[in-house]
């Protein structure tokens, strides 16, 4: 059996955007066993990815010298992997990937971190989306590009609207990524008048105030903090349109 290690210690969205690459590995090597190294913030997203063998949760050592601490203190799994794919360019994660034993390691060359890998790709920050970056990585491993992405949400049912709708996610943990509120308000109002689409606003509890304002001003629906991750995928998949930041 081929043994893979996938490393992605980012947030929920980062982990979800590795799904095409994950599917690519499964399609190319159906019998492969895949372990996933993941950060605590991205851990819930693994419920959407089918077919992995084991989860290794990041136990990063905090502090200014986090990367150095990881290099000295991190104890990798005893397994020897056939291939390690590192989808994160973060220094501490790259160092941990370096310490994991694998016959071949593929990752990004970002600020000199390509030295840790047998094959490294230029990390084109802000010039290409994470989905495409991930697929570029698995191509280097000889994987085929998947024609369909499978996520674990098929048993999910969520009663929403009988009429067509669009989904809007106006919030972000990074204020620099947020589109002006009035722009979202204009789009939601226009979609209702011209296209007959009701706007469904999604997000966490932290985004309730923003989504409550937008849903009232555009006669939409606020689902902030009211859905599971699986329900959220179901809702987005059945929407006519999605609008969000980043």
């Amino acid at each position: 059996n081929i043994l893979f290690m996938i490393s992605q210690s980012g947030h929920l969205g980062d982990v979800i955007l590795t799904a095409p690459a994950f599917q690519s590995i499964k399609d190319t090597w159906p019998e492969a066993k895949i372990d996933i190294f993941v950060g605590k913030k991205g851990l819930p997203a693994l419920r959407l990815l089918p077919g992995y063998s084991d989860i290794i949760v990041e136990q990063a050592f905090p502090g200014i010298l986090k990367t150095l601490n990881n290099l000295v203190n991190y104890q990798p799994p005893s397994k020897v992997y056939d291939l390690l794919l590192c989808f994160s360019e973060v220094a501490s994660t790259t160092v941990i990937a370096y310490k994991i034993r694998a016959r071949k390691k593929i990752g990004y060359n970002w600020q000199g971190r390509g030295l840790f890998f047998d094959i490294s790709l230029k990390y084109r920050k802000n010039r290409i989306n994470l989905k495409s970056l991930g697929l570029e990585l698995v191509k280097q491993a000889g994987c085929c590009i998947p024609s369909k992405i499978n996520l674990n949400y098929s048993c999910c049912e969520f009663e929403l609207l009988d009429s067509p709708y669009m989904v809007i996610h106006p919030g972000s943990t990074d204020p620099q990524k947020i589109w002006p509120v009035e722009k979202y308000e204009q789009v939601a109002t226009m979609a209702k008048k011209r296209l007959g689409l009701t706007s469904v606003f999604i997000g966490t509890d932290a985004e309730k105030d923003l989504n409550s304002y937008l849903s009232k001003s555009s006669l939409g629906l606020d689902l902030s903090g009211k859905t599971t991750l699986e329900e959220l995928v179901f809702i987005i998949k059945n929407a006519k349109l999605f609008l969000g930041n980043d």
Side-chain angles (χ1 to χ4, degrees):
N1 288 329
I2 300 175
L3 189 58
F4 280 88
M5 162 65 79
I6 291 178
S7 176
Q8 173 53 277
S9 60
H11 289 211
L12 284 175
D14 299 312
V15 175
I16 291 172
L17 284 171
T18 64
F22 186 89
Q23 187 68 46
S24 177
I25 295 169
K26 297 296 292 183
D27 289 350
T28 306
W29 294 285
E31 303 303 318
K33 294 183 178 180
I34 303 176
D35 290 355
I36 298 182
F37 176 89
V38 66
K40 291 181 179 179
K41 292 182 179 179
L43 181 61
L46 292 187
R47 300 200 306 266
L48 300 174
L49 302 183
Y52 53 82
S53 300
D54 196 12
I55 301 172
I56 302 166
V57 181
E58 179 183 24
Q59 298 292 329
F61 297 91
I64 299 174
L65 300 178
K66 176 180 176 180
T67 300
L68 182 60
N69 279 333
N70 280 334
L71 183 61
V72 173
N73 297 315
Y74 178 72
Q75 298 299 317
S78 58
K79 302 176 185 177
V80 177
Y81 295 91
D82 293 292
L83 179 65
L84 179 141
L85 293 167
C86 186
F87 289 93
S88 176
E89 85 292 355
V90 177
S92 57
T93 306
T94 305
V95 166
I96 289 172
Y98 168 74
K99 294 194 71 175
I100 291 171
R101 294 187 295 168
R103 294 181 177 90
K104 182 180 286 186
K105 299 181 180 183
I106 303 176
Y108 298 117
N109 186 15
W110 173 247
Q111 297 180 342
R113 291 161 203 164
L115 295 172
F116 294 133
F117 304 108
D118 300 300
I119 299 175
S120 61
L121 296 180
K122 183 178 180 180
Y123 188 78
R124 292 179 281 167
K125 187 170 182 170
N126 299 327
R127 296 191 179 184
I128 185 171
N129 63 52
L130 288 177
K131 171 188 170 184
S132 298
L133 271 172
L135 290 175
E136 284 187 349
L137 212 62
V138 295
K139 280 182 184 178
Q140 297 298 314
C143 295
C144 57
I145 301 302
S147 57
K148 183 180 179 182
I149 310 301
N150 297 317
L151 295 177
N152 277 335
Y153 73 98
S154 57
C155 296
C156 172
E157 294 292 338
F158 192 89
E159 281 192 33
L160 191 58
L161 298 167
D162 294 328
S163 58
Y165 65 91
M166 69 178 292
V167 171
I168 298 179
H169 181 213
S172 173
T173 54
D174 184 351
Q176 295 181 11
K177 296 180 179 180
I178 297 179
W179 205 35
V181 175
E182 60 271 16
K183 298 292 186 182
Y184 281 112
E185 190 174 10
Q186 290 171 17
V187 171
T189 302
M190 187 184 301
K192 184 73 171 180
K193 290 181 178 178
R194 297 189 183 181
L195 304 176
L197 295 177
T198 300
S199 292
V200 176
F201 297 91
I202 61 172
T204 64
D205 287 333
E207 295 157 334
K208 274 186 176 181
D209 290 342
L210 172 61
N211 285 348
S212 176
Y213 167 78
L214 287 170
S215 63
K216 289 176 182 177
S217 66
S218 63
L219 301 178
L221 178 64
D222 176 17
L223 292 181
S224 302
K226 298 177 182 177
T227 63
T228 64
L229 199 56
E230 291 83 355
E231 289 169 341
L232 201 55
V233 173
F234 179 85
I235 291 165
I236 293 172
K237 185 179 186 298
N238 289 282
K240 296 294 183 183
L241 182 68
F242 176 86
L243 179 63
N245 294 304
D246 201 11

